[in-house]
Amino acid sequence: DAGVTQSPTHLIKTRGQHVTLRCSPISGHKSVSWYQQVLGQGPQFIFQYYEKEERGRGNFPDRFSARQFPNYSSELNVNALLLGDSALYLCASSFRYREMIETQYFGPGTRLLVL
Amino acid sequence: GQQVMQIPQYQHVQEGEDFTTYCNSSTTLSNIQWYKQRPGGHPVFLIQLVKSGEVKKQKRLTFQFGEAKKNSSLHITATQTTDVGTYFCWGTYKYIFGTGTRLKVLA
């Protein structure tokens, strides 16, 4: 089975632009989470979606938004990009939504550079 | 807000030496997971601990969950160069990753 896939792998944008990142979960997984990982730091939780509904949101500004589609794939959108948005954006899928027990399978990430 | 701190931040060891990283949460965790991230890679799930005082072993890796479920540790016996990477603990409540411990193994 294919693992979690993300596209694009790398992206260069300029300040003020908008970006859309995409994620396809492992087949059968209905939950997708997004994380931002700045170089040298741990991943920071942005969103979790389950069954097309937002189930969790981290401490990120409204410029960040996401959605999940009927096939459980997901998009992360970031508007009005800032230099500080430069990071590795990770998508993780899990089989079911239970905060108590979830193993997350991470994709390779999208490296975003904002100039 | 809830914080999950790991110590040490960095650790350099000679190949064959042991290594331990500690994870401490400001609040009680329902369960905890450990991930390893190789340089340039993405986090990979290692193990999940659920019960208070739980100890699990995977070959040279030993994981422990504290009695109060506020701390955890990962111990690697006889490190190898393949152990290089950053080890993160992850509290499933609020999806918070620990600050990570970066391990370098000198051959």
Side-chain angles (χ1 to χ4, degrees):
Chain A
D1 283 340
V4 178
T5 59
Q6 292 186 243
S7 63
T9 56
H10 295 81
L11 201 53
I12 299 175
K13 292 284 189 179
T14 57
R15 282 179 296 175
Q17 284 189 312
H18 163 271
V19 68
T20 297
L21 310 180
R22 295 177 175 82
C23 171
S24 292
I26 292 172
S27 178
H29 285 194
K30 298 182 178 181
S31 178
V32 169
S33 301
W34 287 96
Y35 292 84
Q36 179 196 67
Q37 187 174 27
V38 174
L39 192 64
Q41 298 182 19
Q44 299 294 313
F45 172 63
I46 309 176
F47 288 109
Q48 192 211 27
Y49 276 77
Y50 175 71
E51 291 283 17
K52 303 179 287 295
E53 291 187 5
E54 181 184 305
R55 297 301 182 103
R57 173 186 286 252
N59 188 25
F60 279 80
D62 292 343
R63 299 185 295 109
F64 289 76
S65 63
R67 54 179 175 169
Q68 187 177 32
F69 299 99
N71 66 353
Y72 303 110
S73 67
S74 178
E75 282 183 354
L76 175 70
N77 295 282
V78 187
N79 293 322
L81 285 167
L82 303 174
L83 296 179
D85 295 331
S86 296
L88 176 67
Y89 288 84
L90 294 162
C91 170
S93 78
S94 55
F95 176 67
R96 63 178 181 268
Y97 171 72
R98 281 181 63 188
E99 280 197 58
M100 300 293 288
I101 303 175
E102 286 184 69
T103 298
Q104 299 184 105
Y105 297 87
F106 284 85
T110 294
R111 293 191 181 276
L112 172 65
L113 177 60
V114 182
L115 301 176
Chain B
Q2 182 184 19
Q3 292 185 343
V4 182
M5 304 297 293
Q6 283 183 250
I7 55 171
Q9 187 176 4
Y10 300 96
Q11 184 82 58
H12 295 185
V13 299
Q14 288 291 137
E15 188 174 22
E17 291 182 339
D18 292 356
F19 159 77
T20 304
T21 174
Y22 299 91
C23 174
N24 297 291
S25 171
S26 57
T27 59
T28 301
L29 300 170
S30 56
N31 56 70
I32 196 164
Q33 297 179 4
W34 285 90
Y35 291 81
K36 176 184 178 181
Q37 186 173 22
R38 294 182 184 274
H42 57 273
V44 175
F45 172 79
L46 293 176
I47 209 160
Q48 176 171 263
L49 304 170
V50 179
K51 300 177 182 177
S52 169
E54 187 172 15
V55 178
K56 287 188 175 181
K57 293 188 177 183
Q58 287 181 350
K59 298 182 180 179
R60 295 179 295 105
L61 278 61
T62 302
F63 304 83
Q64 186 166 5
F65 203 6
E67 293 291 340
K69 302 184 77 173
K70 295 181 71 173
N71 57 75
S72 181
S73 64
L74 158 60
H75 179 81
I76 302 178
T77 303
T79 55
Q80 300 175 358
T81 55
T82 54
D83 295 325
V84 165
T86 302
Y87 293 85
F88 292 100
C89 59
W90 183 76
T92 55
Y93 179 70
K94 297 299 185 184
Y95 286 70
I96 293 180
F97 271 92
T99 48
T101 295
R102 187 175 301 176
L103 173 64
K104 287 191 175 181
V105 180
L106 307 174

